[in-house]
Amino acid sequence: MRAKKWCLATAFVLVAGACGSPNSGGGAKDVTPDKVPDNPKNPVTLNIIDVAGNLQLTQGMIDEFVKSHSKVIKKVTYTKATAPELPGKIKAQQSAGQVQIGLVLTGTDGLSAGIDQNLWVKTDDYSSRIGNPNYQAPAAKMQELAQGHGMELVYSPAGPLLEYNPQKVPNPPTTTQELLAWAKAHPKKFQYARPANSGPGRTFLMGLPYLLGDSNPKDPKAGWTKTWAYLQDLGKYVDYYPSKTSEVMTNLANGSADMVATMTGWDINPRALGQVPPGVKVTYLKGMHWVNDAQYAVIPRGVSADVLSADIQLIKSMLTPQQQAKAYDTGYFYPGPAVNGVTLSMAPPKSQQVIQQFGRPEYDKWLTQFPMETSLPAEQQTAAFDQWDRTVGGGKVHK
């Protein structure tokens, strides 16, 4: 979401008109690195589709680059889609040999699906041009999830956290068993969104194996026995699963839900934008491990040499400290910057004001108190989403 009307699970895709390489036999042709010029022969037009809410963090970076590099990018337009829709859109264009999507900015969901289906250009082939982003240590571990097929743009410690209305939940749960007991005593009042399309949803899903002491938190197929059983038990008291996080926050605000799964940015940003009452509270459960989150720039295979040239230059610019400071935004992906040395004092004045007013002092303590874990790698994350859809979500996902 932005809460500025962009959904967390909307990543963005830069699309270039006529950016693919048509081929009469069907299927888009890949461009080899030696064929990619330093600058496009002609400025490209890029259409951007957001499938992770990333534009609210990065659109200022993009617009500033376009303004100062008119010989690289002539025009940008923006559209949006959900992360589950993304692979189908990419594959259809690649099969037709007309890749209209020039760059995708996605969360780990779209990243993983694309790696699994071999949709992305290997950005490692262009590392000498992009340079060394000098990632923060936890962000560097998240970059490894890209497996050389994308560049991390923003980073958040994420969650899992619980957000609740203190008037309805005066004594919030402190353990997973207390959460289950609360949900049983208050049916239909706990909620989280479908993990395949929600940052808080997937963070809750990937955080439970640590909270429950499962045998292997990195193996959803063989190591999550307790997690799958717990989610099925919890699901007995969940009315339905929204398809996007913004609906969960709307339900928290209107009283349809009294407690929801959240993460740092989804706590701060909706309160800052007035979409959730300022008095809601957050808490963690015993055994807490932060499951870090990140969003990435990935390039679909089959784009033209000119589009690749523009993508590389844009990504390099977005990873400079000056541009990274814009990622503080209004707390949407708190803190936001992925690279070292980017402080709040470097952010725009509006961002500084929002974090000072709506940030939570306890986050600084919790971020040093609890262990940090990466999200699941691509294959395991896709498997976890599939199993949740089959065994937990069932027919209860709200379309």
Side-chain angles (χ1 to χ4, degrees):
M1 113 189 158
R2 189 169 202 115
K4 277 178 190 171
K5 301 182 182 174
W6 293 93
C7 253
L8 176 61
T10 359
F12 91 7
V13 183
L14 298 179
V15 180
C19 62
S21 300
N23 96 52
S24 57
K29 295 179 180 178
D30 292 330
V31 179
T32 57
D34 61 299
K35 300 297 184 182
V36 179
D38 291 337
N39 290 293
K41 295 177 183 177
N42 296 296
V44 300
T45 295
L46 296 173
N47 303 313
I48 299 177
I49 189 175
D50 185 353
V51 303
N54 185 270
L55 283 175
Q56 70 184 65
L57 302 170
T58 59
Q59 186 171 343
M61 305 177 195
I62 299 163
D63 290 346
E64 187 169 320
F65 179 87
V66 173
K67 185 177 180 180
S68 60
H69 293 77
S70 59
K71 293 183 179 181
V72 177
I73 299 176
K74 177 174 61 177
K75 180 183 177 182
V76 175
T77 62
Y78 299 109
T79 54
K80 60 182 179 178
T82 65
E85 293 174 315
L86 181 62
K89 291 179 180 290
I90 301 287
K91 286 195 292 185
Q93 293 180 15
Q94 290 174 335
S95 296
Q98 291 281 0
V99 179
Q100 297 295 312
I101 296 172
L103 179 72
V104 179
L105 296 185
T106 178
T108 57
D109 40 16
L111 170 75
S112 298
I115 292 174
D116 188 56
Q117 299 177 53
N118 194 28
L119 302 182
W120 311 137
V121 166
K122 193 167 184 180
T123 49
D124 270 7
D125 290 343
Y126 302 92
S127 58
S128 62
R129 299 198 201 185
I130 295 172
N132 177 14
N134 188 26
Y135 288 120
Q136 302 179 52
K141 290 187 175 296
M142 292 299 291
Q143 171 60 21
E144 293 175 5
L145 296 182
Q147 299 177 31
H149 290 84
M151 295 301 297
E152 180 183 359
L153 293 180
V154 293
Y155 156 78
S156 172
L161 299 169
L162 298 179
E163 188 168 354
Y164 61 96
N165 179 345
Q167 295 180 340
K168 300 293 183 67
V169 190
N171 298 299
T174 61
T175 67
T176 51
Q177 290 309 306
E178 287 181 10
L179 172 59
L180 182 61
W182 186 93
K184 183 177 182 179
H186 303 84
K188 302 182 180 182
K189 290 297 186 178
F190 174 73
Q191 197 169 81
Y192 66 98
R194 180 190 179 206
N197 199 41
S198 166
R202 63 177 175 265
T203 302
F204 181 64
L205 174 65
M206 291 185 282
L208 277 173
Y210 298 100
L211 294 169
L212 293 168
D214 244 326
S215 61
N216 187 350
K218 296 295 187 184
D219 185 355
K221 289 184 177 180
W224 285 20
T225 303
K226 295 178 181 178
T227 294
W228 295 122
Y230 181 88
L231 287 170
Q232 289 168 0
D233 284 345
L234 185 63
K236 297 173 184 177
Y237 316 111
V238 174
D239 185 20
Y240 74 99
Y241 302 97
S243 61
K244 54 187 180 181
T245 316
S246 56
E247 186 176 347
V248 173
M249 293 302 161
T250 296
N251 292 340
L252 179 63
N254 66 26
S256 300
D258 292 336
M259 184 159 50
V260 303
T262 194
M263 51 195 274
T264 55
W266 275 95
D267 162 41
I268 296 172
N269 185 243
R271 289 186 295 116
L273 297 178
Q275 297 184 344
V276 170
V280 297
K281 302 291 186 181
V282 294
T283 191
Y284 63 88
L285 297 176
K286 184 178 179 180
M288 168 77 173
H289 285 229
W290 291 102
V291 178
N292 296 164
D293 201 5
Q295 294 179 355
Y296 304 80
V298 293
I299 305 169
R301 295 176 57 205
V303 300
S304 71
D306 280 353
V307 169
L308 258 170
S309 175
D311 285 343
I312 291 164
Q313 293 185 61
L314 176 61
I315 292 169
K316 180 176 182 178
S317 172
M318 295 170 78
L319 287 169
T320 61
Q322 178 186 5
Q323 296 302 322
Q324 283 279 296
K326 294 182 174 68
Y328 279 101
D329 185 60
T330 48
Y332 169 64
F333 208 68
Y334 183 80
V339 304
N340 274 310
V342 184
T343 64
L344 182 60
S345 63
M346 297 167 61
K350 181 181 178 182
S351 296
Q352 297 185 42
Q353 180 181 355
V354 165
I355 302 305
Q356 289 166 3
Q357 182 175 355
F358 294 98
R360 296 191 189 270
E362 55 262 47
Y363 283 159
D364 291 338
K365 177 183 177 182
W366 295 352
L367 289 174
T368 59
Q369 183 177 350
F370 305 125
M372 296 274 185
E373 310 290 347
T374 60
S375 299
L376 290 175
E379 181 180 352
Q380 289 78 12
Q381 192 163 152
T382 300
F385 293 160
D386 288 345
Q387 184 157 345
W388 186 93
D389 285 343
R390 286 185 289 102
T391 66
V392 179
K396 295 175 72 174
V397 174
H398 188 266
K399 302 297 183 182

